């Protein structure tokens, strides 16, 4: 097991090899691994020829990414890159797993594509035990996408702009569905900035604390004509709203399903009566529809799910009965006899080339440095992340008393702390090009000089996202939370 | 592949690799177990599941012994009853089993007399360790079944905050140098509580309610749902009393994490309580 | 793993001691004081680091030897070096009597108060030490503790003592007098008059085999060993090859001498025929059965024979690595064997062995740390692997899955000594001595109330009476003989005609075990002796399984009531019930045998 992470985390310590990469240089590393695999002739020629396209373009694109070049960019010794390339390419099975360290960059999609290229290069995809595994940070990030909470997809990842697919939904719903892609979150904030969005309905999200460059986010939310927030708490965002719709906690106070990282759809069930006026999201939406002149009645979660199954082929086989009996099923699950799919893309290995469907394209990508550049004025790279016992902006995790909870801090390498004359526990000011916060410093291992770490779990105490940059990935809309240039001063 | 085993005179075919306990369960032969759990590697330390196997000089633990072709197993002989009874007497005379599920029934069934060793015998009695708001550790109730150590270690959490220390009757479950749990490697996943068979490890919430006399299992409902805190999708069993969550376990037979959770799934529910 | 280390740092001597064993740390992640820029970019851990776990016990020994105890900082440093979680390492350290996780005086004496030394000066020695050094464990500069049998029963009283430091000193000595011992502990003297550990060999029969070189060969000289015929057997074995060797061992019908009397040839063949891959040979030299000292005598006096026999075993089963696991209380034997191994290696008789085409075999010594249970073969595996010395459930048997999960041949020291003659004479010739079911010679450890305690060799077939007569006969009037040690049984004077063969003992309901023959005369307080035996098993129970952990405690309590005139009338039934559960339901032999001596003493009326 290799762990590539700027910090030597507990997982990295468990790994056989930890490689301490510079924040935001993932493509340089991935391309160098690709370069080395090709240079050593370790690529899977048969798989490449039979199941992929655009290899030549890819090979050309990684030509300049020698391990030595990657060492300059990413900081990882060239020999270690060679070893990684060798071990990945020659492993019987190998997975690439990642979390937000890959995706919270302005090159998010390209970062992922660089990894996909490696899997295609070696054939580590579409087989048991091999593959590409984005590990999800929420219970239903995958499920949200499955259900069409993407600006360009209808439920079941069916393209909005495909007339036939859209027509299917229109026929079922008896209404017209906008024929063009919508906006993702970053585009929505741009639209708010332009004044194209004047009203916003926020369900179960706390952008007033969670957005990168949160000062800007708050300004834009505050400038709206109308803000409606539906949440289980009066979050900071809800505090700014014109209308607050109190909701029930989905996971313990309502019925429904969620989809986990491995595409397993599982049932959530109601164990508690929600407090006060809080109501099931479904009931709120149905009422809202009624007020807007559409009588949806009050469908049960199962009725809605069955409608989804009739529209989304990959969910068609997942009746509530089967989900209960089998404790979840992994999509695609095309009919009630389908046991579900433990892994995807097996078609690429079909014996008959005719059965392989659309071949998998290589996607040449180039490394681009993080948007928030280091400089003499802002010499330290801040990266943010979670701690085990807390969750996102702390709305749900602050309620219990964890013996492990440290509160917010600026984690500093001992050398940086010594250079700055900062002792463990001393309060410091952390300053980025967008804002500043005060927090206690913690002098810890697992970093290196020039690398600092904070969480975002305690925004009421330390508003870390006033520091982060909202440079975002044009393809996914994800902001570059992971790479902020800061300087640190004693208070 | 199957093997043929004879249990209490009845021949039966079982899959290759099945343990004797698997066979006994398949035959609905009630077999006491304490150190065994479906989601842990059998350590066969409690010896309450022992059975007689023809050709074996001593009794064998049903939980770990793999059934072999032609094996002849007896579960109701005097030897089996004697060892089970004596083991229960050993435990009952040295450990507080007052909240251990099923044990009282087994004591009756095997006619165990835990007082027979006399009044002034060694016990593991000691004060309860209450060192944080999530757990209590009451080692006066510990039978040293090793399950918590397994769950903390290679069988689930890979944290290794606790281990068996000392030796013999003085052996205990301990952090390094008996340091306080909050100062140890413990990540408060609670998987040790999830597997503890005697209530030695307990949710602070349950411990407090028991002390206050408000813990009422007959008034509790159990609902299975999915944790909200990350994308793993662990199954939660919410124990609810008076519309409040009082305990969270996870089903052992669930593929995703086999009954194991993390601190957030196990304890992070207070935000939805009044 | 989520290796959360302690905040405590090692002292310089602690760091030096651990580095002396493990080498300097490769990076700051592994404990180097200085961090390099490479450390910021790469770290190695994972399975490679975890595979060094087996060095845990040697590392703990190193700390104990260097500073006299295992401090938090020292333990933490070992954990960092070996990627072992501190709680786990603490669990291991607290398992062993000879390791202390609390600050302890640098000079420590362990005084045997076990059944052979008891009544032969042990209590007087303890009283003197207590008067001079204070209560057990409490002295600042020097202190003492009681100990189970130290394997020096022929010269009671015995003590094992050590001084921690840069150059640690460890000694074992008997008979020991308090004046010399105190002088040594106070560093007023460093030289001890070496005890006369030469065995009594007057067995009344011609042609000693196991003991024939003892006292004549120079233990520190390979040349001397060769002059006495050494390494002829290995030469023969290397020439003929493994199959021939195993065939001879099978033909010899040699049974294991460690106590379990398992056919050696079956084990050898099983390991030899295991699927290709690593396998190991282990010599079990953790001789700890109270009253047993024969292996110590062999190792101290004829070490090359053991090295040669292990090498033959390695050749026969295809193992490249052997381990000799020796109890921590045998410093001389450990040193003597260590010298022999070094000389053999230098002479090309270990390592890359240049004989008949060449083969690889080497031996590493692993030192126990005060745990009788580690003589149980699966507990011994765990101890070598760096875990608590707790026995494993069998099956799987060691020949299938032993050390590091690989096929492993475990033989006791005496068993291996027999191999040399088996190879040289042939298995059938070997089997011609002894009886049909108990072939070859056997060593007996005579101590207690006999005129000349010592190790005695007989061809199988001698009776209990023969053996006691060889040792000069019983002093006083015989009340009972303990046969087989604490795990054995008492035999009354009316049955001393029992032949000490495996089958003879079995017919008499006994086990000759490790060959202990300890007569007690009518002056003996058997209540005291049996309470010591009960305490021994309570102390030495690893605690893993309930029947043994609680059973040995309840047995001791019941026996105490019975023998202190506090009996309630239920004790005899209790002891029988406890014994049956321990025998039937315990994991290993310790629990199975923990009641035998006590029940037999009751049966003979020795406690009434």
């Amino acid at each position: 097991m290799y762990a590539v992470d700027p910090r030597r985390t507990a997982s990295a310590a468990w790994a056989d090899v930890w490689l301490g990469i510079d924040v935001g240089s993932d493509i340089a590393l991935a391309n160098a691994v690709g370069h080395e695999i090709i240079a050593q002739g370790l690529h899977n020629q048969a798989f490449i020829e039979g199941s992929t396209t655009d290899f030549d373009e890819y090979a050309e694109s990684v030509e300049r990414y020698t391990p030595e070049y990657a060492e300059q960019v990413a900081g990882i010794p060239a020999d270690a890159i060679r070893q990684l390339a060798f071990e990945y390419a020659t492993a019987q099975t190998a997975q690439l797993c990642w979390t937000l360290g890959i995706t919270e960059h302005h090159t998010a999609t390209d970062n992922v594509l660089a990894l996909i290229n490696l899997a295609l290069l070696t054939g580590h995809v579409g087989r048991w035990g091999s593959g590409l595994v984005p590990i999800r940070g929420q219970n239903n990030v995958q499920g949200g996408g499955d259900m069409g909470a993407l600006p360009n997809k209808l439920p079941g990842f069916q393209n909005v702009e495909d007339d036939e697919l859209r027509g299917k939904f229109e026929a079922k719903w008896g209404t017209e569905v906008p024929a063009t892609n919508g906006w993702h979150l970053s585009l929505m904030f741009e639209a708010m900035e332009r004044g194209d969005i004047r009203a916003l309905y926020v369900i179960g999200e706390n952008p007033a604390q969670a957005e990168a460059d949160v000062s800007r986010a708050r300004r834009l939310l505050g400038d709206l004509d109308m803000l409606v927030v539906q949440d289980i708490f009066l979050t900071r965002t809800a505090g700014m709203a014109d209308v607050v719709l109190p909701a029930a906690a989905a996971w313990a106070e309502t019925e429904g399903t969620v989809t986990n990282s491995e595409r397993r759809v599982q049932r959530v069930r109601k164990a508690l009566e929600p407090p006060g006026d809080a109501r099931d999201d479904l009931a709120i939406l149905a009422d809202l529809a009624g007020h807007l002149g559409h009588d949806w009645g009050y469908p049960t979660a199962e009725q809605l799910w069955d409608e989804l199954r009739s529209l989304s082929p990959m969910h068609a086989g997942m009746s509530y009965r089967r989900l209960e009996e089998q404790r979840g099923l992994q999509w695609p699950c095309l009919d009630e006899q389908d046991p579900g799919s433990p892994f995807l893309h097996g078609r690429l290995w079909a014996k008959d080339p005719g059965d392989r469907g659309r071949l998998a394209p290589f996607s040449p990508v180039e490394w681009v440095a993080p948007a928030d550049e280091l400089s003499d004025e802002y010499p330290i790279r801040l990266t943010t992340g979670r701690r085990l016992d807390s969750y996102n902006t702390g709305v749900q995790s602050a309620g219990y008393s964890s013996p492990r909870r440290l509160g917010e801090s600026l984690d500093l390498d001992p050398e940086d702390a010594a250079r700055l004359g900062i002792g463990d526990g001393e309060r410091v000011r952390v300053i980025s090009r967008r804002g500043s916060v005060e927090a206690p410093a913690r002098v810890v291992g697992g970093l290196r000089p020039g690398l600092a770490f904070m969480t975002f779990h305690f925004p009421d105490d330390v508003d870390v996202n006033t520091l982060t940059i909202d440079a975002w990935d044009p393809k996914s809309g994800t902001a570059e939370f992971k790479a902020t240039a800061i300087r640190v001063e004693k208070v | 592949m199957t093997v043929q085993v004879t249990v209490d005179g009845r021949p039966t075919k079982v899959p290759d690799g099945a343990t004797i306990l698997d066979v006994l369960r398949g035959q609905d032969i009630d077999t006491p177990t304490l150190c065994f759990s479906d989601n842990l590697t059998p350590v066969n330390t409690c010896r309450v599941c022992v059975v007689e196997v023809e050709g074996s000089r001593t009794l064998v633990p049903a939980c770990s012994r793999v059934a072999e072709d032609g094996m002849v197993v007896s579960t109701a002989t005097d030897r089996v009853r004697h060892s089970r009874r004596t083991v229960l007497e050993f435990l009952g005379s040295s450990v507080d089993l007052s909240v251990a599920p099923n044990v009282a029934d087994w004591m009756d069934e095997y006619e165990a007399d835990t007082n027979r060793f006399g009044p002034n015998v060694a016990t593991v009695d000691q004060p309860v360790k209450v060192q944080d708001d999530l757990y209590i550790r009451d080692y006066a109730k510990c039978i040293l079944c090793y399950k918590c150590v397994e769950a903390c270690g290679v069988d689930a959490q890979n944290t290794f905050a606790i281990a068996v220390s000392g030796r013999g009757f003085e052996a205990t479950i301990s952090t390094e140098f008996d340091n306080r749990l909050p100062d140890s490697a413990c990540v408060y996943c609670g998987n040790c509580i999830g597997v503890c068979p005697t209530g030695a490890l307990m949710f602070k919430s349950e411990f407090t309610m028991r002390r206050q006399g408000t813990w009422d299992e007959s008034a509790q409902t159990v609902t299975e749902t999915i944790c909200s805190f990350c994308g793993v999708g662990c199954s939660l069993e919410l124990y609810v009393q008076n519309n409040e969550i009082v305990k969270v376990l996870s089903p052992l037979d669930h593929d995703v994490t086999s009954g194991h959770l993390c601190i957030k799934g196990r304890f992070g529910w207070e935000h939805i309580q009044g | 793993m989520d290796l959360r280390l302690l905040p405590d740092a090692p002292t310089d001597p602690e760091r030096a001691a651990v580095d002396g064993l493990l080498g300097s740390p490769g990076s700051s992640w592994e404990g180097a004081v200085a961090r390099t820029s490479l450390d910021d970019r790469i770290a190695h851990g994972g399975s490679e680091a975890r595979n060094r776990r087996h060095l845990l016990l040697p590392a703990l020994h190193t700390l104990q030897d260097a500073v006299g105890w295992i401090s938090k900082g020292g333990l933490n440093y070992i954990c960092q070096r070996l990627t072992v979680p501190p709680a786990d390492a603490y669990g291991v350290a607290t398992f062993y009597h000879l390791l202390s996780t609390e600050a302890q005086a640098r000079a420590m004496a362990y005084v045997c108060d076990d059944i052979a030394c008891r009544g032969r000066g042990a209590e007087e020695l303890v009283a003197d030490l207590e008067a001079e050094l204070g209560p057990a464990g409490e002295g600042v500069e020097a202190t003492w503790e009681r100990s189970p049998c130290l394997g020096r029963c022929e010269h009671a009283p015995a003590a094992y003592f050590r001084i921690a430091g840069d150059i640690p000193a460890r000694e074992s000595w008997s008979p020991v007098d308090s004046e010399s011992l105190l002088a040594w502990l106070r560093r007023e003297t460093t030289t001890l008059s070496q005890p006369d550990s030469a065995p009594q060999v007057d067995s009344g029969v011609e042609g000693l085999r196991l003991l024939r070189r003892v006292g004549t060969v120079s233990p520190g000289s390979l040349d001397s060993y060769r002059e006495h015929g050494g390494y002829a057997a290995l030469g023969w074995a290397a020439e003929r090859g493994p199959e021939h060797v195993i065939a001879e061992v099978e033909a010899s019908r040699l049974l294991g001498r460690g106590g379990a009397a398992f056919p050696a040839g079956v084990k050898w063949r099983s390991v030899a025929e295991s699927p290709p891959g690593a396998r190991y040979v282990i010599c079990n030299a953790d001789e700890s059965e109270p009253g047993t000292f024969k292996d110590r005598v062999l190792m101290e006096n004829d070490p090359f024979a053991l090295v040669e026999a292990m090498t033959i075993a390695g050749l026969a089963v295809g193992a490249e690595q052997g381990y000799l696991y020796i109890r921590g209380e045998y410093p001389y034997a450990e040193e003597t064997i260590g010298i022999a191994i070094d000389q053999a290696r230098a002479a090309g008789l270990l390592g890359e062995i240049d004989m008949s085409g060449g083969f690889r075999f080497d031996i590493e010594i692993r030192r126990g740390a005060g745990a009788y249970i580690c003589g149980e073969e699966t507990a011994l595996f765990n101890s070598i692997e760096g875990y608590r010395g707790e026995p494993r459930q069998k099956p799987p048997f060691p020949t299938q899955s032993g050390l590091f999960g690989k096929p492993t041949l475990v033989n006791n020291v005496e068993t291996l000594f027999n191999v040399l003659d088996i190879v040289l004479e042939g298995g059938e010739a070997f089997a011609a001595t002894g009886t049909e079911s108990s072939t070859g010679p056997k060593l007996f450890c005579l101590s207690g109330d006999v005129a000349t305690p010592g190790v005695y060799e007989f061809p199988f077939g001698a009776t209990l009476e023969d053996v006691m007569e060889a040792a000069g006969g019983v002093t006083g009037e015989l009340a009972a003989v303990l046969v087989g040690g604490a795990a054995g049984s008492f035999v009354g004077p009316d049955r001393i005609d029992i032949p000490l063969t495996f089958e003879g003992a079995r017919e008499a309901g006994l086990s000759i075990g490790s060959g202990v023959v300890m007569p007690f005369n009518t002056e003996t307080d058997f209540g005291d002796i049996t309470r010591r035996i009960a305490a021994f098993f309570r102390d030495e129970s690893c605690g893993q399984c309930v029947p043994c952990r609680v059973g040995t405690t309840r047995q001791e309590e019941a026996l105490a009531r019975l023998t202190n005139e506090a009996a309630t009338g239920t004790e005899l039934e209790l002891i029988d019930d406890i014994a049956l559960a321990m025998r039937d339901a315990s994991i290993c032999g310790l629990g199975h045998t923990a009641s035998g001596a006590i029940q037999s003493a009751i049966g003979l009326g020795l406690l009434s």
Side-chain angles (χ1 to χ4, degrees), chain A residues 298-318:
Chain A
Y298 288 100
T300 64
E302 185 172 7
Q303 285 167 339
L304 272 181
W305 180 254
D306 284 339
E307 182 197 278
L308 170 90
R309 290 171 57 213
S310 73
L311 290 166
S312 169
M314 67 188 220
H315 293 104
M318 299 178 173

Side-chain angles (χ1 to χ4, degrees), chain A residues 8 10 14-20 22 74-75 77 80 413 415 447-449, chain C residues 1-4 29 35 38-48 50 83:
Chain A
R8 192 168 189 250
W14 177 255
D16 294 289
V17 182
W18 163 73
L19 300 177
D22 277 337
D413 183 86
E415 279 185 34
L447 297 170
R448 64 179 152 270
Chain C
M1 102 182 40
D2 187 359
L3 187 67
R4 189 182 158 101
W29 301 112
R35 176 168 76 162
L38 198 60
D39 293 350
D40 292 340
R41 296 300 184 173
I42 189 164
H44 294 271
S47 52
E48 185 187 319
R50 292 190 288 277
T83 319

